Amino acid sequence: MSVVLSEFLIPGWADGEGAPAAPVDGQELPCHFVDPELFFADTAQELEEAKALCQTCPLQRACLDGAISRREPFGVWGGQIFDGGQIIATKRLPGRPRIQAA
Ligand code: SF4
C-alpha cells in the first residue's frame, strides 16, 4: 500500500479500510489513535485537546502547511483551529450570540 502525504494529514484516516497496523515510516501520528471527531468537535475543550495532541506530532509543521494551502474549511490541523480556510484562535459555539446589555 502506498501512502501519499495528503493521506497522512487527514485525522482518523488510519481507522478506515486498509489502514496500517503499525506506524507509517516510523511516524506515530497522535490523530491516528483517538476518535477523529475530536478534531472536528463543537466544544472549545475538545478542540484544545486536539490541539494539544498535535503539539506532540512529528508532522505538525507539514500538516499545518498542508491545511493552509488547502484552505481547510474546518477542524484542527497542525495544532491550529481552521474555520472557512482561516486559522482562528477559538471556535464560536453553535447558536445565536448572546444579546449584549445596552
Ligand atoms: S498535526 Fe495533528 S492533525 Fe496533523 S497529522 Fe499531526 S496529530 Fe494529526
Side-chain angles (χ1 to χ4, degrees):
M1 177 180 103
S2 66
V3 176
V4 295
L5 184 59
S6 61
E7 291 174 319
F8 261 132
L9 304 180
I10 300 172
W13 75 271
D15 296 336
E17 188 175 320
V24 179
D25 295 336
Q27 304 281 322
E28 292 199 17
L29 307 182
C31 58
H32 290 188
F33 300 99
V34 297
D35 181 352
E37 293 298 320
L38 182 67
F39 290 78
F40 302 96
D42 283 330
T43 69
Q45 180 181 349
E46 289 175 303
L47 292 174
E48 290 304 316
E49 288 177 32
K51 287 170 62 178
L53 288 170
C54 291
Q55 300 308 314
T56 65
C57 180
L59 292 182
Q60 182 183 9
R61 186 69 231 181
C63 181
L64 179 59
D65 290 345
I68 291 170
S69 69
R70 294 188 306 273
R71 297 183 49 82
E72 279 295 336
F74 52 85
V76 172
W77 302 85
Q80 299 293 330
I81 301 171
F82 281 78
D83 187 9
Q86 303 290 318
I87 294 173
I88 59 172
T90 56
K91 184 175 177 177
R92 189 177 158 274
L93 297 176
R96 282 185 171 179
R98 290 186 179 272
I99 296 174
Q100 300 293 324

Short mmCIF file of all heavy atoms in Angstrom, two decimals, residues 5 7-13 28-32 34 39-40 50-64 67 70 75-80, ligand 1:
data_model
loop_
_atom_site.label_atom_id
_atom_site.label_comp_id
_atom_site.label_asym_id
_atom_site.label_seq_id
_atom_site.Cartn_x
_atom_site.Cartn_y
_atom_site.Cartn_z
N LEU A 5 1.35 11.91 1.09
CA LEU A 5 1.39 12.83 2.23
C LEU A 5 0.00 13.31 2.63
O LEU A 5 -0.31 13.41 3.80
CB LEU A 5 2.30 14.02 1.92
CG LEU A 5 2.49 15.00 3.07
CD1 LEU A 5 3.09 14.29 4.29
CD2 LEU A 5 3.37 16.16 2.64
N GLU A 7 -2.68 11.78 2.68
CA GLU A 7 -3.37 10.79 3.50
C GLU A 7 -2.87 10.84 4.93
O GLU A 7 -3.60 10.56 5.86
CB GLU A 7 -3.18 9.39 2.91
CG GLU A 7 -3.93 9.21 1.61
CD GLU A 7 -3.62 7.89 0.96
OE1 GLU A 7 -2.44 7.48 0.98
OE2 GLU A 7 -4.54 7.27 0.42
N PHE A 8 -1.57 11.16 5.09
CA PHE A 8 -1.02 11.32 6.43
C PHE A 8 -1.77 12.39 7.21
O PHE A 8 -1.89 12.33 8.41
CB PHE A 8 0.43 11.83 6.34
CG PHE A 8 1.47 10.78 6.48
CD1 PHE A 8 2.52 10.72 5.59
CD2 PHE A 8 1.44 9.88 7.52
CE1 PHE A 8 3.51 9.78 5.71
CE2 PHE A 8 2.43 8.94 7.65
CZ PHE A 8 3.47 8.88 6.75
N LEU A 9 -2.23 13.38 6.50
CA LEU A 9 -2.67 14.61 7.14
C LEU A 9 -4.15 14.66 7.43
O LEU A 9 -4.66 15.68 7.85
CB LEU A 9 -2.26 15.80 6.27
CG LEU A 9 -0.76 15.83 5.98
CD1 LEU A 9 -0.43 17.02 5.12
CD2 LEU A 9 0.04 15.86 7.26
N ILE A 10 -4.85 13.58 7.21
CA ILE A 10 -6.27 13.57 7.49
C ILE A 10 -6.52 12.84 8.79
O ILE A 10 -6.30 11.64 8.87
CB ILE A 10 -7.05 12.90 6.34
CG1 ILE A 10 -6.81 13.68 5.05
CG2 ILE A 10 -8.52 12.81 6.68
CD1 ILE A 10 -7.35 13.01 3.83
N PRO A 11 -6.92 13.57 9.84
CA PRO A 11 -7.15 12.89 11.13
C PRO A 11 -8.11 11.72 10.97
O PRO A 11 -9.15 11.85 10.35
CB PRO A 11 -7.77 13.99 11.99
CG PRO A 11 -7.30 15.27 11.40
CD PRO A 11 -7.21 14.99 9.90
N GLY A 12 -7.73 10.60 11.51
CA GLY A 12 -8.60 9.44 11.51
C GLY A 12 -8.53 8.59 10.26
O GLY A 12 -9.17 7.56 10.18
N TRP A 13 -7.74 9.01 9.25
CA TRP A 13 -7.74 8.23 8.02
C TRP A 13 -7.29 6.81 8.27
O TRP A 13 -7.72 5.90 7.58
CB TRP A 13 -6.85 8.87 6.95
CG TRP A 13 -5.39 8.68 7.20
CD1 TRP A 13 -4.58 9.48 7.93
CD2 TRP A 13 -4.58 7.59 6.76
NE1 TRP A 13 -3.31 8.97 7.97
CE2 TRP A 13 -3.28 7.80 7.25
CE3 TRP A 13 -4.82 6.44 5.98
CZ2 TRP A 13 -2.25 6.92 7.01
CZ3 TRP A 13 -3.78 5.58 5.74
CH2 TRP A 13 -2.51 5.82 6.25
N GLU A 28 4.52 8.04 14.39
CA GLU A 28 3.28 7.81 15.12
C GLU A 28 2.53 9.13 15.19
O GLU A 28 2.99 10.07 15.82
CB GLU A 28 3.57 7.28 16.52
CG GLU A 28 4.15 5.89 16.47
CD GLU A 28 4.02 5.15 17.79
OE1 GLU A 28 3.21 5.59 18.62
OE2 GLU A 28 4.72 4.16 17.94
N LEU A 29 1.41 9.19 14.52
CA LEU A 29 0.64 10.42 14.47
C LEU A 29 -0.47 10.34 15.51
O LEU A 29 -1.31 9.45 15.47
CB LEU A 29 0.05 10.60 13.07
CG LEU A 29 1.06 10.52 11.93
CD1 LEU A 29 0.38 10.77 10.61
CD2 LEU A 29 2.22 11.47 12.15
N PRO A 30 -0.48 11.28 16.45
CA PRO A 30 -1.45 11.23 17.54
C PRO A 30 -2.90 11.12 17.06
O PRO A 30 -3.72 10.46 17.70
CB PRO A 30 -1.21 12.53 18.29
CG PRO A 30 0.20 12.89 17.99
CD PRO A 30 0.45 12.40 16.59
N CYS A 31 -3.22 11.73 15.94
CA CYS A 31 -4.61 11.71 15.48
C CYS A 31 -5.03 10.34 14.98
O CYS A 31 -6.22 10.12 14.73
CB CYS A 31 -4.84 12.77 14.41
SG CYS A 31 -3.79 12.61 12.97
N HIS A 32 -4.11 9.43 14.84
CA HIS A 32 -4.45 8.08 14.40
C HIS A 32 -4.89 7.19 15.56
O HIS A 32 -5.32 6.08 15.34
CB HIS A 32 -3.27 7.42 13.69
CG HIS A 32 -2.98 8.03 12.37
ND1 HIS A 32 -2.08 7.51 11.48
CD2 HIS A 32 -3.48 9.14 11.77
CE1 HIS A 32 -2.04 8.25 10.39
NE2 HIS A 32 -2.87 9.25 10.55
N VAL A 34 -6.90 8.36 18.28
CA VAL A 34 -8.06 8.90 19.01
C VAL A 34 -9.24 8.98 18.05
O VAL A 34 -9.09 8.83 16.84
CB VAL A 34 -7.76 10.30 19.60
CG1 VAL A 34 -6.65 10.22 20.62
CG2 VAL A 34 -7.44 11.29 18.51
N PHE A 39 -11.14 16.13 16.45
CA PHE A 39 -10.53 17.20 15.67
C PHE A 39 -11.57 18.07 14.96
O PHE A 39 -11.22 19.05 14.33
CB PHE A 39 -9.54 16.60 14.66
CG PHE A 39 -8.31 16.05 15.33
CD1 PHE A 39 -8.34 14.83 15.97
CD2 PHE A 39 -7.14 16.78 15.36
CE1 PHE A 39 -7.23 14.32 16.62
CE2 PHE A 39 -6.01 16.29 16.00
CZ PHE A 39 -6.06 15.06 16.64
N PHE A 40 -12.83 17.68 15.07
CA PHE A 40 -13.91 18.45 14.43
C PHE A 40 -15.02 18.73 15.45
O PHE A 40 -16.18 18.87 15.08
CB PHE A 40 -14.46 17.68 13.22
CG PHE A 40 -13.39 17.39 12.20
CD1 PHE A 40 -12.74 16.16 12.20
CD2 PHE A 40 -13.01 18.34 11.28
CE1 PHE A 40 -11.74 15.89 11.28
CE2 PHE A 40 -12.01 18.08 10.36
CZ PHE A 40 -11.37 16.86 10.37
N ALA A 50 -7.47 18.39 21.08
CA ALA A 50 -6.93 18.04 19.77
C ALA A 50 -5.67 18.85 19.48
O ALA A 50 -4.66 18.31 18.99
CB ALA A 50 -7.98 18.28 18.69
N LYS A 51 -5.72 20.14 19.79
CA LYS A 51 -4.54 20.98 19.57
C LYS A 51 -3.36 20.50 20.39
O LYS A 51 -2.22 20.51 19.91
CB LYS A 51 -4.87 22.44 19.93
CG LYS A 51 -5.76 23.13 18.93
CD LYS A 51 -6.26 24.47 19.42
CE LYS A 51 -5.16 25.46 19.66
NZ LYS A 51 -5.67 26.78 20.10
N ALA A 52 -3.62 20.06 21.61
CA ALA A 52 -2.54 19.56 22.47
C ALA A 52 -1.92 18.29 21.88
O ALA A 52 -0.70 18.11 21.93
CB ALA A 52 -3.07 19.30 23.88
N LEU A 53 -2.76 17.43 21.32
CA LEU A 53 -2.23 16.21 20.67
C LEU A 53 -1.31 16.58 19.51
O LEU A 53 -0.26 15.96 19.32
CB LEU A 53 -3.38 15.33 20.19
CG LEU A 53 -4.17 14.60 21.27
CD1 LEU A 53 -5.41 13.95 20.67
CD2 LEU A 53 -3.31 13.57 21.97
N CYS A 54 -1.70 17.56 18.75
CA CYS A 54 -0.88 17.99 17.60
C CYS A 54 0.50 18.48 18.05
O CYS A 54 1.47 18.36 17.28
CB CYS A 54 -1.58 19.08 16.82
SG CYS A 54 -3.06 18.56 15.93
N GLN A 55 0.58 19.01 19.26
CA GLN A 55 1.88 19.54 19.72
C GLN A 55 2.94 18.45 19.82
O GLN A 55 4.13 18.74 19.82
CB GLN A 55 1.72 20.24 21.07
CG GLN A 55 0.76 21.41 21.08
CD GLN A 55 1.05 22.43 19.99
OE1 GLN A 55 2.20 22.83 19.80
NE2 GLN A 55 0.03 22.83 19.27
N THR A 56 2.51 17.18 19.92
CA THR A 56 3.46 16.08 20.03
C THR A 56 3.68 15.37 18.69
O THR A 56 4.39 14.38 18.63
CB THR A 56 2.97 15.03 21.05
OG1 THR A 56 1.76 14.43 20.56
CG2 THR A 56 2.69 15.68 22.41
N CYS A 57 3.08 15.87 17.63
CA CYS A 57 3.10 15.18 16.34
C CYS A 57 4.37 15.52 15.56
O CYS A 57 4.72 16.70 15.42
CB CYS A 57 1.88 15.59 15.53
SG CYS A 57 1.81 14.78 13.92
N PRO A 58 5.03 14.50 15.01
CA PRO A 58 6.25 14.77 14.23
C PRO A 58 5.97 15.47 12.90
O PRO A 58 6.90 15.99 12.28
CB PRO A 58 6.84 13.38 14.02
CG PRO A 58 5.70 12.44 14.17
CD PRO A 58 4.75 13.07 15.15
N LEU A 59 4.73 15.47 12.47
CA LEU A 59 4.40 16.10 11.18
C LEU A 59 3.61 17.40 11.36
O LEU A 59 2.96 17.86 10.42
CB LEU A 59 3.58 15.14 10.32
CG LEU A 59 4.31 13.90 9.81
CD1 LEU A 59 3.39 13.07 8.93
CD2 LEU A 59 5.56 14.29 9.06
N GLN A 60 3.69 17.99 12.54
CA GLN A 60 2.86 19.16 12.81
C GLN A 60 3.05 20.26 11.78
O GLN A 60 2.09 20.81 11.25
CB GLN A 60 3.14 19.71 14.21
CG GLN A 60 2.25 20.89 14.54
CD GLN A 60 2.56 21.51 15.89
OE1 GLN A 60 3.54 21.15 16.52
NE2 GLN A 60 1.74 22.42 16.31
N ARG A 61 4.29 20.62 11.47
CA ARG A 61 4.54 21.73 10.55
C ARG A 61 4.01 21.41 9.14
O ARG A 61 3.37 22.24 8.50
CB ARG A 61 6.03 22.04 10.50
CG ARG A 61 6.39 23.26 9.69
CD ARG A 61 5.89 24.51 10.38
NE ARG A 61 5.13 25.32 9.44
CZ ARG A 61 4.58 26.50 9.72
NH1 ARG A 61 4.70 27.00 10.92
NH2 ARG A 61 3.93 27.17 8.83
N ALA A 62 4.28 20.18 8.68
CA ALA A 62 3.81 19.78 7.35
C ALA A 62 2.29 19.74 7.31
O ALA A 62 1.67 20.13 6.31
CB ALA A 62 4.39 18.43 6.97
N CYS A 63 1.69 19.28 8.39
CA CYS A 63 0.23 19.21 8.46
C CYS A 63 -0.36 20.61 8.42
O CYS A 63 -1.33 20.87 7.68
CB CYS A 63 -0.18 18.50 9.75
SG CYS A 63 -1.97 18.33 9.97
N LEU A 64 0.23 21.52 9.17
CA LEU A 64 -0.27 22.91 9.18
C LEU A 64 -0.10 23.55 7.80
O LEU A 64 -1.02 24.19 7.28
CB LEU A 64 0.48 23.72 10.24
CG LEU A 64 0.09 25.18 10.36
CD1 LEU A 64 -1.39 25.33 10.69
CD2 LEU A 64 0.94 25.86 11.43
N ALA A 67 -2.72 22.19 5.49
CA ALA A 67 -4.07 22.72 5.77
C ALA A 67 -4.20 24.16 5.28
O ALA A 67 -5.25 24.54 4.74
CB ALA A 67 -4.34 22.64 7.27
N ARG A 70 -4.52 24.11 1.49
CA ARG A 70 -5.82 23.58 1.03
C ARG A 70 -6.98 24.46 1.48
O ARG A 70 -8.12 24.21 1.14
CB ARG A 70 -6.04 22.17 1.59
CG ARG A 70 -5.11 21.12 1.06
CD ARG A 70 -5.53 19.73 1.52
NE ARG A 70 -5.69 19.60 2.95
CZ ARG A 70 -4.71 19.30 3.81
NH1 ARG A 70 -3.49 19.09 3.36
NH2 ARG A 70 -4.94 19.20 5.09
N GLY A 75 -11.92 22.26 11.37
CA GLY A 75 -11.17 21.20 12.03
C GLY A 75 -9.85 21.71 12.60
O GLY A 75 -9.46 22.86 12.39
N VAL A 76 -9.22 20.83 13.36
CA VAL A 76 -7.89 21.12 13.91
C VAL A 76 -6.87 20.43 13.03
O VAL A 76 -6.95 19.22 12.78
CB VAL A 76 -7.78 20.61 15.37
CG1 VAL A 76 -6.34 20.74 15.86
CG2 VAL A 76 -8.72 21.39 16.27
N TRP A 77 -5.93 21.22 12.55
CA TRP A 77 -4.87 20.73 11.67
C TRP A 77 -3.56 21.36 12.11
O TRP A 77 -3.48 22.58 12.26
CB TRP A 77 -5.14 21.12 10.22
CG TRP A 77 -6.44 20.62 9.70
CD1 TRP A 77 -7.67 21.22 9.83
CD2 TRP A 77 -6.67 19.41 8.98
NE1 TRP A 77 -8.62 20.45 9.23
CE2 TRP A 77 -8.04 19.33 8.69
CE3 TRP A 77 -5.83 18.37 8.54
CZ2 TRP A 77 -8.60 18.27 8.00
CZ3 TRP A 77 -6.39 17.32 7.84
CH2 TRP A 77 -7.75 17.28 7.58
N GLY A 78 -2.56 20.58 12.33
CA GLY A 78 -1.24 21.13 12.68
C GLY A 78 -1.27 21.96 13.95
O GLY A 78 -0.48 22.88 14.11
N GLY A 79 -2.18 21.67 14.85
CA GLY A 79 -2.24 22.38 16.12
C GLY A 79 -3.00 23.69 16.07
O GLY A 79 -2.97 24.46 17.03
N GLN A 80 -3.70 23.94 14.97
CA GLN A 80 -4.48 25.18 14.84
C GLN A 80 -5.93 24.84 14.49
O GLN A 80 -6.21 23.84 13.84
CB GLN A 80 -3.89 26.06 13.73
CG GLN A 80 -2.46 26.50 13.98
CD GLN A 80 -2.33 27.44 15.16
OE1 GLN A 80 -3.24 28.21 15.47
NE2 GLN A 80 -1.20 27.39 15.84
S1 SF4 B 1 -0.50 17.72 13.38
FE1 SF4 B 1 -2.35 16.96 14.39
S2 SF4 B 1 -3.88 16.65 12.75
FE2 SF4 B 1 -1.85 16.86 11.79
S3 SF4 B 1 -1.12 14.76 11.50
FE3 SF4 B 1 -0.31 15.51 13.46
S4 SF4 B 1 -1.78 14.91 15.05
FE4 SF4 B 1 -2.78 14.69 13.03
#
